[in-house]
Amino acid sequence: MFQIFYPTQWLDSTYQIPFEEWYERGCRGVIFDIDNTLVPHDAPATEEAKQLFDNLRKMGFDTCLTSNNKEPRVAAFALAVNSKYIYKANKPSRSGYLRAMEMMGTDKDTTLFVGDQLFTDVFGANRTGIPTILVKPINPKEEIQIVLKRYLERIVLYFYKKKLQRDA
């Protein structure tokens, strides 16, 4: 019932993702959400984020930031980490994910998505056929509309955990 919202992996942080393993599996492009995935909401790029993107490029990955935020926010972050970007991506619409893959020259079999929200990030990437990594939000203080969605996410994640336990 909730499978379309289930991530491929669920980790505590973007900075714990084993990108080397994903590269070995054939992944060559990573699409990232920004806010609460890479940095707290509206925060500038940190040294940790800049280092992550440098390391990804050295491994052979291309990257694209895909955000529902406005261009000034997304462009400034993209410039700081030297990444392609899409603003006002209208997630969970598939169009932003498809455009990101086109920009990176990848396809659904060679692309990975990383985000912190089930109903926008993971849902849209799953609908596009891209493997997804859900990370826990960096900062628990969020806008009211996101806080409300987090309550619903807890229900889905409860069933996701049950599935993982059954499959183990």
Side-chain angles (χ1 to χ4, degrees):
M1 176 165 125
F2 293 122
Q3 287 83 353
I4 192 68
F5 299 110
Y6 292 172
T8 307
Q9 282 188 319
W10 185 22
L11 300 172
D12 286 339
S13 168
T14 298
Y15 303 99
Q16 295 177 341
I17 297 171
F19 286 106
E20 298 86 0
E21 291 175 18
W22 285 98
Y23 191 85
E24 288 172 12
R25 293 182 196 178
C27 197
R28 296 299 179 263
V30 184
I31 303 171
F32 287 98
D33 176 54
I34 301 171
D35 291 318
N36 259 346
T37 298
L38 293 164
V39 295
H41 190 74
D42 284 333
T46 60
E47 287 306 314
E48 186 178 32
K50 292 174 188 177
Q51 187 64 51
L52 172 65
F53 280 75
D54 285 344
N55 290 342
L56 289 170
R57 276 189 294 283
K58 287 175 187 169
M59 274 185 247
F61 283 104
D62 199 352
T63 60
C64 187
L65 302 168
T66 305
S67 174
N68 286 346
N69 218 321
K70 296 176 184 167
E71 186 172 21
R73 163 68 174 143
V74 182
F77 197 95
L79 180 64
V81 298
N82 191 23
S83 179
K84 296 169 175 69
Y85 70 93
I86 297 169
Y87 65 97
K88 290 188 179 177
N90 201 26
K91 295 182 288 184
S93 169
R94 296 175 66 237
S95 61
Y97 300 91
L98 294 170
R99 204 161 88 224
M101 288 188 289
E102 184 178 323
M103 291 168 73
M104 295 187 297
T106 60
D107 59 32
K108 66 180 182 156
D109 297 321
T110 58
T111 305
L112 174 66
F113 179 83
V114 180
D116 70 297
Q117 293 189 51
L118 285 179
F119 300 128
T120 52
D121 297 332
V122 172
F123 179 51
N126 282 348
R127 289 178 54 229
T128 309
I130 303 169
T132 56
I133 296 181
L134 176 69
V135 295
K136 294 181 180 171
I138 292 171
N139 188 343
K141 293 186 177 183
E142 298 178 296
E143 297 169 356
I144 188 66
Q145 69 272 19
I146 295 173
V147 171
L148 295 173
K149 284 194 277 185
R150 295 287 185 204
Y151 286 109
L152 296 173
E153 284 184 355
R154 286 185 195 148
I155 296 166
V156 174
L157 290 172
Y158 169 83
F159 288 103
Y160 175 69
K161 288 179 203 173
K162 288 281 209 191
K163 178 193 177 303
L164 291 178
Q165 290 170 349
R166 280 193 313 270
D167 294 349

